[in-house]
Amino acid sequence: MAFQAVITVAPAGVVAPVVYALLALMAGAASVGHVWQARERRGRLRLGWSVAVAASGMWSLANLLWFLDPSSRPDSGVLSPASYLATASGVLAPTALLLCSPAEGRLASRLRRMIDGATIAAALALLGWQLVLRQIFPGIHADTRAAVIAVLAGELVAGAYAVVVIARARPSEGNSIALWASALGTLSLFTVLDAANAALGDDRFSNGVGGGYLAATLLLVACCRTPLPSVSGRAEGEQPGPLRALPYLPIGLAFTTAAHQQIAEGRVDALSFWVLLSMAVLVFLRQFLQLRTIEMLIEKVEAQRRDLAHQATHDPLTGLGNRTALAERATALFDGETTRHVGVLMLDLDGFKPINDTHGHSAGDKVLRAVADRLRAQLRLDDLAVRLGGDEFVILLADVRDQAHAAEIGERILRSLRAPLDLGPAAVPVLASAGLAVGATSDTSFEDLLHRADASLYTAKDSGKNVLRMAELYRAGHDGVGLAGR
């Protein structure tokens, strides 16, 4: 602002050379700083900062040529090499910013970013039309009108992208990207004002343009001395940046200017109407996409919750239930109002350690998974098979008629396990010893049944293995420690 005040009182012919010289020096310093930033990065980021070196260097060279040759300056009406350099710089700068900005991994995030940029570009176009271009457009020569529109459209797109980047800036990323985006947005704004000065016949650097160009180039220099963004992305639990609401500003101002035209003139011109309609459609698409993203996040959280619940109650190797699932099912059976006869069948594989020692632990895991599959095939609807750990399993028989019925189920399960299993070099039989205890839920506890089934299992092991041993049926007033062999 202070520099712009000096411009208004400086002698004619002095302001432009000073501005061009300062712009050339500062842009050159920014280019050197970008070289340092490029050296600190690899891959895509190095490419981005290298493009930034070229963009700043071209901007510096363009201003140097304008400083040295007044006849080649933009206000002379001649398209000189310096003008082409400045245009190329304007194309490369947003390209470099795009390459250096943190990438969005998911398609939905990229789509939201694109829609945000398109909406902001439309808002900036409407602002530029309402505040500047609508007044100066008739004064632009027909031969250069298309070129002016193309340049201004490019600047609006660059400015829109700059707003998106600034709004997404995060504290953990440092300020280099945000400063660079601010510089790009400032350059875009004052390029539009520069075109307005040209159309109105004013001096190029009047109406704040000279100070704006210098401020934007100074921001380029400043971004070279600030920390680079983190490659790892957003830190866990980090909140969005403090300027996340920035995109709403140009959108709100665009609607405000259109409303002002409607109030002042009784109508909105056709261009403004169609831009407003386009913005409304984009905002609707953005909200629809946001809603869909929220739905997908909810589905993902629900899936993760189900996975965690499954992991909490299931054995990861075999997919059978674990101790937690056994305790929950037993509580439901024994705390219920209905009296049932429940059987607890404990299984321990015979000769499992030699299989591990001979064929390796992967073969042992294969045996355990095969046992789990065979157990599942024999379960009734309300039964539960659980792996306690190692090669020990428990089957909770939820409803049996009597001991004989439970023993019949136990023998059938043992027979299903005895089929040989192919382990590659050889097929090995899968043998198991079993202990069974049966009791009524009103007369005993699950812990007591589990204890008696375990005792029966040890009896089966001592009896030569590969057999079922059953504890006597528990009755109220009887200790039930006697064992019956089968």
Side-chain angles (χ1 to χ4, degrees):
M1 296 299 293
F3 182 85
Q4 195 62 40
V6 172
I7 290 178
T8 59
V9 299
V14 174
V15 173
V18 171
V19 173
Y20 287 129
L22 290 175
L23 289 176
L25 289 173
M26 289 192 294
S31 182
V32 173
H34 293 329
V35 170
W36 170 78
Q37 289 172 311
R39 293 176 59 186
E40 294 293 316
R41 289 304 190 198
R42 295 291 183 272
R44 171 174 166 266
L45 291 178
R46 169 171 280 190
L47 175 61
W49 289 109
S50 298
V51 174
V53 172
S56 298
M58 289 180 178
W59 180 235
S60 175
L61 183 57
N63 283 280
L64 178 61
L65 293 175
W66 285 328
F67 170 75
L68 296 175
D69 184 8
S71 64
S72 65
R73 294 171 184 171
D75 49 11
S76 66
V78 177
L79 288 177
S80 64
S83 298
Y84 290 113
L85 284 172
T87 302
S89 174
V91 173
L92 290 178
T95 303
L97 182 60
L98 178 64
L99 290 171
C100 291
S101 300
E104 296 284 1
R106 297 182 179 276
L107 176 61
S109 298
R110 293 195 294 269
L111 286 175
R112 285 198 304 270
R113 194 171 179 180
M114 291 173 59
I115 292 174
D116 288 345
T119 306
I120 296 169
L124 293 177
L126 182 56
L127 283 173
W129 173 255
Q130 288 284 345
L131 300 178
V132 179
L133 297 178
R134 192 159 65 100
Q135 288 76 27
I136 69 170
F137 195 73
I140 301 176
H141 196 277
D143 294 340
T144 61
R145 189 170 293 173
V148 171
I149 291 175
V151 171
L152 294 181
E155 294 297 334
L156 289 174
V157 172
Y161 183 69
V163 172
V164 173
V165 171
I166 295 170
R168 295 177 64 252
R170 303 161 184 162
S172 67
E173 292 177 349
N175 296 316
S176 60
I177 294 296
L179 285 173
W180 190 0
S182 300
L184 184 60
T186 304
L187 282 171
S188 299
L189 170 62
F190 285 98
T191 299
V192 174
L193 296 179
D194 189 356
N197 285 343
L200 296 173
D202 294 337
D203 183 76
R204 184 186 184 192
F205 296 128
S206 62
N207 301 318
V209 173
Y213 278 147
L214 289 171
T217 310
L218 188 60
L219 286 173
L220 284 177
V221 177
C223 84
C224 300
R225 308 304 303 169
T226 53
L228 293 173
S230 172
V231 178
S232 59
R234 178 181 293 227
E236 184 177 355
E238 182 180 336
Q239 297 299 317
L243 297 177
R244 58 187 178 276
L246 182 61
Y248 294 102
L249 178 60
I251 295 173
L253 289 176
F255 278 100
T256 301
T257 55
H260 179 268
Q261 184 187 20
Q262 174 66 36
I263 295 172
E265 302 177 12
R267 59 181 293 275
V268 175
D269 61 87
L271 178 61
S272 298
F273 170 79
W274 287 110
V275 173
L276 286 172
L277 183 61
S278 300
M279 289 171 57
V281 172
L282 288 170
V283 170
F284 172 78
L285 289 175
R286 177 65 164 83
Q287 293 304 112
F288 175 80
L289 185 60
Q290 184 71 13
L291 179 62
R292 181 55 188 150
T293 300
I294 293 173
E295 291 175 350
M296 292 173 63
L297 287 175
I298 293 174
E299 292 172 0
K300 182 178 179 181
V301 169
E302 284 297 316
Q304 291 176 341
R305 185 191 63 79
R306 290 192 296 269
D307 289 344
L308 290 175
H310 184 272
Q311 293 172 18
T313 57
H314 288 77
D315 173 58
L317 176 63
T318 62
L320 296 177
N322 58 15
R323 293 178 184 270
T324 301
L326 181 62
E328 291 177 353
R329 182 69 175 129
T331 299
L333 287 173
F334 282 82
D335 290 352
E337 296 181 358
T338 303
T339 298
R340 296 183 177 185
H341 279 85
V342 175
V344 175
L345 179 67
M346 292 196 70
L347 294 173
D348 188 87
L349 300 184
D350 298 327
F352 181 70
K353 187 177 184 299
I355 292 177
N356 264 336
D357 295 341
T358 303
H359 301 283
H361 288 285
S362 60
D365 290 345
K366 183 177 181 180
V367 170
L368 293 175
R369 286 192 289 267
V371 168
D373 291 338
R374 293 175 183 181
L375 290 178
R376 271 189 288 264
Q378 298 300 319
L379 293 181
R380 300 172 302 165
L381 183 62
D382 292 334
D383 295 341
L384 175 68
V386 169
R387 181 188 176 211
L388 292 182
D391 59 346
E392 193 172 22
F393 300 84
V394 171
I395 295 91
L396 182 60
L397 305 175
D399 198 355
V400 294
R401 293 189 300 272
D402 49 31
Q403 278 187 311
H405 182 211
E408 178 186 340
I409 296 173
E411 291 287 5
R412 187 177 73 241
I413 290 174
L414 283 184
R415 287 195 299 271
S416 72
L417 297 180
R418 290 172 184 148
L421 180 65
D422 185 10
L423 295 181
V428 298
V430 181
L431 305 178
S433 299
L436 174 64
V438 179
T441 57
S442 59
D443 296 337
T444 187
S445 66
F446 170 70
E447 289 76 13
D448 179 71
L449 286 180
L450 190 65
H451 173 72
R452 293 194 292 130
D454 187 49
S456 300
L457 174 61
Y458 276 100
T459 301
K461 288 285 190 181
D462 293 339
S463 301
K465 303 180 180 181
N466 192 29
V467 294
L468 169 69
R469 290 291 181 263
M470 185 171 63
E472 292 182 357
L473 180 66
Y474 183 91
R475 297 180 179 87
H478 178 65
D479 60 10
V481 295
L483 298 175
R486 288 186 64 87

